[in-house]
Amino acid sequence: MIFESHAHYDDKRFDIDRHELLKSLPSKGIEYLLNVGADVKSSYECVKLAKEYDYIYAAVGVHPHDVKDMKEKDLETLIGLASYKKVVAIGEIGLDYYYEISPKEVQKLWFREQIELAKELDMPIIVHSRDASKDCYDIIKETDAKEAGGVIHCYSGSVEMAREYTKMGFYIGVGGVVTFKNANKLKNVVKETPMNKILIETDCPYLAPVPNRGKRNDSTNLKYIAEEIGKIKNISLEDVIKYTNENAKRLFRVS
Ligand code: NI
């Protein structure tokens, strides 16, 4: 049974069929699903979904795109939301210098603040890092984020950096990109990362894997991601599903 470690079913692209889809996922092999917050409003939605569906868990946090509007009181709101027992992580948080929708200094500030929050609450972090690998790594080091632990979601960095992260106890989140033809760098990361440090995720509705690239993504596509990892690691699809499920349960303390 699959553990979907990163999804955004609160996204408006699911408005037309959200509940139909979410009702159907357990019968399609999804055992657990972590729906991840992007701002305060969506963090509320994540908690709401976790209350409605037994198999859904939530992460609460503010994405680097949205920290430009973040206020001190939002941290209090996140603490309140995180007190619900099915909130198992702080995320997604991090740095995005590709779009740079929020100024870099503001991104760094709130990344640090939310790491401190996770440490205080004793919860793992879900890290978004795009075109910011060095700063992201430096902040994780400086803040001693390994105390909280977590996953570098939709990993896009180098093999060397992945090794540094796993040495600190972090997990590497692998999504649809691994199925793309030109994804040699990520395929190499998968090859070099121990199987007990890999999580699978869709990041849906974004980043659908081949053969559904370009379409709206959902958790039923995880099998293509697991299949590709199996090919790279030379192990069966069932083993990829089994290991990544155990890893996610261990990290998010879900059982
Ligand atoms: Ni995401």
Side-chain angles (χ1 to χ4, degrees):
M1 292 286 271
I2 295 174
F3 196 127
E4 157 73 287
S5 68
H6 194 116
H8 300 283
Y9 282 102
D10 53 295
D11 190 279
K12 61 178 184 315
R13 289 176 71 187
F14 291 112
D15 282 355
I16 43 162
D17 59 351
R18 178 174 300 109
H19 290 286
E20 218 180 310
L21 188 56
L22 289 178
K23 264 185 233 155
S24 75
L25 290 179
S27 67
K28 292 174 180 161
I30 306 299
E31 184 181 19
Y32 289 110
L33 186 160
L34 183 54
N35 205 68
V36 180
D39 56 20
V40 172
K41 188 175 161 276
S42 95
S43 295
Y44 270 109
E45 295 300 321
C46 291
V47 171
K48 211 174 131 199
L49 288 174
K51 285 181 176 170
E52 274 177 67
Y53 294 90
D54 278 351
Y55 75 102
I56 297 185
Y57 285 72
V60 299
V62 180
H63 188 284
H65 288 347
D66 297 284
V67 290
K68 60 183 186 310
D69 304 315
M70 197 168 174
K71 306 272 183 315
E72 205 59 46
K73 69 166 177 22
D74 294 331
L75 283 179
E76 295 304 315
T77 308
L78 293 178
I79 292 173
L81 288 170
S83 67
Y84 176 54
K85 60 180 189 305
K86 289 177 79 188
V87 174
V88 296
I90 298 298
E92 54 185 289
I93 61 174
L95 302 173
D96 193 312
Y97 293 173
Y98 180 79
Y99 289 108
E100 212 185 321
I101 293 175
S102 308
K104 285 184 185 176
E105 288 311 310
V106 176
Q107 292 190 37
K108 287 192 213 170
L109 171 89
W110 287 110
F111 186 29
R112 285 201 182 90
E113 291 280 330
Q114 293 186 90
I115 290 173
E116 293 305 332
L117 177 71
K119 282 162 60 184
E120 234 174 271
L121 299 174
D122 190 25
M123 278 184 179
I125 54 176
I126 298 172
V127 179
H128 171 107
S129 167
R130 187 153 185 206
D131 278 7
S133 11
K134 183 166 187 320
D135 282 4
C136 186
Y137 179 76
D138 288 347
I139 289 177
I140 282 182
K141 269 288 215 206
E142 280 162 34
T143 54
D144 217 7
K146 67 172 188 295
E147 251 181 56
V151 54
I152 315 300
H153 122 81
C154 206
Y155 187 80
S156 59
S158 66
V159 170
E160 294 72 27
M161 192 70 91
R163 211 172 283 144
E164 292 302 315
Y165 279 125
T166 55
K167 253 197 258 165
M168 284 194 277
F170 282 89
Y171 291 77
I172 302 297
V174 179
V177 175
V178 77
T179 65
F180 297 176
K181 251 208 180 98
N182 57 359
N184 289 328
K185 195 171 153 195
L186 180 58
K187 288 180 205 275
N188 246 329
V189 168
V190 169
K191 200 172 167 188
E192 299 295 325
T193 302
M195 206 51 229
N196 64 358
K197 287 290 175 212
I198 296 176
L199 302 187
I200 52 173
E201 59 171 43
T202 56
D203 202 18
C204 64
Y206 312 102
L207 287 173
V210 173
N212 292 319
R213 191 171 179 179
K215 295 187 191 150
R216 186 186 74 173
N217 199 3
D218 69 56
S219 305
T220 60
N221 284 325
L222 282 166
K223 55 180 182 288
Y224 300 114
I225 296 165
E227 216 168 62
E228 185 63 34
I229 295 173
K231 265 188 223 159
I232 297 168
K233 295 288 221 190
N234 210 5
I235 59 175
S236 69
L237 171 67
E238 290 71 27
D239 278 348
V240 175
I241 289 173
K242 178 171 142 293
Y243 290 130
T244 53
N245 182 309
E246 288 169 0
N247 297 343
K249 283 182 182 160
R250 190 185 319 121
L251 174 63
F252 300 118
R253 299 171 213 162
V254 166
S255 56

